[in-house]
Every structure is written in C-alpha cells, then in structure tokens.
Amino acid sequence: MSSLDIRRATEADLPAIVGLLADDYRGREREDPRLPLDPAYREAFAAIASDEGQFLAVALLGDETVGTLQLSFLPGLSHKGAWRGQIEAVRIASHLRGKGLGAEMIAWAVDACRARGCQMVQLTSDATRLDTHRFYERLGFIQSHLGFKLTL
Amino acid sequence: MSSLDIRRATEADLPAIVGLLADDYRGREREDPRLPLDPAYREAFAAIASDEGQFLAVALLGDETVGTLQLSFLPGLSHKGAWRGQIEAVRIASHLRGKGLGAEMIAWAVDACRARGCQMVQLTSDATRLDTHRFYERLGFIQSHLGFKLTL
C-alpha cells in the first residue's frame, strides 16, 4: 500500500474529519456528520486553527481522506520543565483498518512531537478498546496511567 | 481548617511549586528543587504564562504555598466540538494530605473549566496511585480510559 500524505487540516477538510470521527462505535453515538455541519464543529475548528499549541492533522491516501488525529503541545513544569505532546481523536477509516496506516500516522505524530522539542508523548484510550491498547504497546507506548473523565 | 486561596501562579511562586512537585515519591526521582532553580523551570514557566490555554495555579493556606495544579484548556472536534479542561501536576504538601485540601483544589479546577465553557474535565493518574484513584472517583470522575506514555 502506498504511504500516507499527512498534513495540517484546513476548513475544507472538516466534513471528512467529522465523518471519520463518527465512523466508530463510540463516535456514532456522539457525533453528527450530516451536512451542513453543525456550526459547533466550525467554531471548534477555528479555535484549533488559531491556537499555536494545536495541530489538527489529516492523512490522505491518493484523494481520499483516510485518517485524522489532533496534537496538542503542552508546556509544563514537571520532569524539569518538559514539553509534552498529546495525541487525541485518532481515527482511521473503518474500511482501511488493520493495514498499518494507524502505525504510520502515530509514527508521524511522534516525529512531530520530537520536532517541537517534546520529551514525552501521551494519549489515553477508552478502556474498552483492547486492540487499540495492544496497538500502542507495539509502538513502544507504556500503559502507566489511568484516565479519568468528568462530564460537565 | 480555613479554606484555600487559589490563584494564578507568578514567577515568584516557582521555587515553592517545584518544591511541591518534588515532594512526592515520583517527583523525588525526577525534579530538582535546589536553588538557584534549573533554568529549564523558568523557561517552562514562561511558556505556560504566555499561553492563554494554560493556567498554572497555586493554593495558599495563610502565607504557605500548600498546593499546585496546571489546567490546560483544549479545543477539539470530538463530542461536537467540545472544549476539554485537563488537569495535570496536582500536588498537595505532604504534611497536609488527607485533610480535604485536594478535594477543594479539584473542585476549584472543575469550576474553572466550567467557567471556560468546557464540557468535560480529564486527567490521568499514575496507575500505582491507588488512593488517588479512589479520591477522583469520590469526586465524580469516571475511570474510563487507560493512559499511555512514550518517552522521547
């Protein structure tokens, strides 16, 4: 399979990205990919695009948008002032899973974090996604933490 | 016990904050609270202070700096463009643990996230900190995710 073209998302990518977020057993319940898109997605895109600490990425295979993830570059005092790169909202089109595209996208993200001077990359994964946990462990991530959420 | 005074940290708070980060069984191994502080801490403080998405907080009891945490306000597309508040680097002075100050600090952080329009608050906790997990669950957080880290 030819390799991915991974680049910063533009607003024109938004319908495809929301489609990917919804193409998932969790996302199906909580996203709305119908066009015209809910304006909340455009507002969120504008907030991401205007924040230098955020990088919303799309991955293309030929002309098809097949993946997305968001990076957040976080300054902090811990670990003697280490920057962290955080990966969120990772999706690969369901018909293309299991072909190594996710690994390619995460490797790209880790490189992007390294290029920004991060000393650590972190992410959380829904506790029910067992295949995903093995996937990140194969890529060298250590499952060292538990993730807690509070809905407001 | 009188209640905490919680406010945004200034550079003058930095030695006390690094002292709190080091006053912990994990922090002891990786932080250096000796004065003059490692310049990396001052660089990290400057990065946090210049980023509108970050809020480094200190908690005072009278004149003593007894707690710290960092909030990151993260825009994202998931959950129909929901903002997330993320809590990192939570510490209470070791001689004051178990007195409810942590709960007061987290309640303050949750309110701060709500005031910024976040629809979710998230954090991770080292998998070995069992008391901390019960603490967050008592405050209403759901342990729904696993946290993965990759050191660069």
Side-chain angles (χ1 to χ4, degrees):
Chain A
M1 182 169 280
S2 55
S3 74
L4 295 172
D5 172 25
I6 304 175
R7 60 163 172 76
R8 189 187 286 270
T10 68
E11 193 167 355
D13 297 311
L14 207 40
I17 297 171
V18 176
L20 287 166
L21 293 178
D23 178 22
D24 171 81
Y25 86 105
R26 287 288 189 209
R28 219 180 324 279
E29 304 161 9
R30 60 197 188 197
E31 308 301 344
D32 181 359
R34 289 174 300 173
L35 300 179
L37 278 183
D38 186 323
Y41 287 117
R42 301 209 178 272
E43 287 166 28
F45 178 83
I48 295 166
S50 67
D51 182 339
E52 287 180 15
Q54 310 300 323
F55 192 112
L56 179 65
V58 284
L60 288 92
L61 202 57
D63 291 336
E64 189 188 0
T65 304
V66 300
T68 183
L69 61 76
Q70 182 178 341
L71 290 176
S72 299
F73 302 107
L74 301 172
L77 294 176
S78 298
H79 296 264
K80 296 185 187 168
W83 281 80
R84 295 163 190 241
Q86 182 162 298
I87 304 176
E88 289 259 14
V90 181
R91 293 289 188 284
I92 295 284
S94 54
H95 69 283
L96 289 167
R97 287 180 201 150
K99 297 177 190 299
L101 298 178
E104 196 178 330
M105 215 163 62
I106 297 297
W108 173 90
V110 169
D111 284 346
C113 292
R114 195 180 279 113
R116 283 277 291 237
C118 295
Q119 290 175 40
M120 186 194 297
V121 183
Q122 63 185 23
L123 59 90
T124 68
S125 177
D126 189 297
T128 63
R129 298 189 195 267
L130 302 181
D131 288 351
T132 308
H133 307 159
R134 285 189 286 267
F135 166 78
Y136 286 118
E137 284 170 344
R138 278 199 305 275
L139 297 177
F141 285 79
I142 306 292
Q143 193 261 297
S144 56
H145 283 61
L146 299 184
F148 294 81
K149 311 251 182 198
L150 177 70
T151 303
L152 297 183
Chain B
M1 182 170 279
S2 55
S3 75
L4 294 172
D5 172 25
I6 303 175
R7 59 162 172 77
R8 189 187 286 270
T10 68
E11 194 169 354
D13 297 312
L14 206 41
I17 297 171
V18 176
L20 287 166
L21 294 177
D23 178 23
D24 171 82
Y25 86 106
R26 288 287 190 212
R28 221 181 322 278
E29 304 161 11
R30 62 197 187 198
E31 309 300 343
D32 181 359
R34 289 174 299 172
L35 301 180
L37 278 183
D38 186 324
Y41 287 116
R42 300 209 177 271
E43 288 166 28
F45 178 83
I48 295 166
S50 67
D51 181 339
E52 286 181 14
Q54 310 300 323
F55 192 112
L56 179 64
V58 284
L60 289 91
L61 202 57
D63 290 337
E64 189 189 0
T65 304
V66 299
T68 182
L69 60 76
Q70 182 178 342
L71 290 176
S72 300
F73 302 109
L74 301 171
L77 294 175
S78 297
H79 296 265
K80 296 186 186 166
W83 282 80
R84 294 163 190 242
Q86 182 162 298
I87 304 176
E88 288 258 16
V90 181
R91 292 290 188 283
I92 295 284
S94 54
H95 68 284
L96 289 167
R97 286 179 202 150
K99 298 176 189 296
L101 298 178
E104 195 178 331
M105 216 163 62
I106 297 299
W108 172 90
V110 168
D111 284 346
C113 292
R114 194 179 280 114
R116 284 277 291 238
C118 296
Q119 290 174 40
M120 187 194 296
V121 182
Q122 63 184 24
L123 59 90
T124 68
S125 176
D126 190 296
T128 63
R129 299 189 197 264
L130 302 181
D131 288 349
T132 309
H133 306 159
R134 284 189 287 266
F135 166 77
Y136 286 118
E137 285 170 344
R138 278 198 306 275
L139 297 178
F141 284 80
I142 306 291
Q143 193 262 297
S144 56
H145 283 62
L146 299 184
F148 294 81
K149 311 252 180 197
L150 177 70
T151 302
L152 298 182

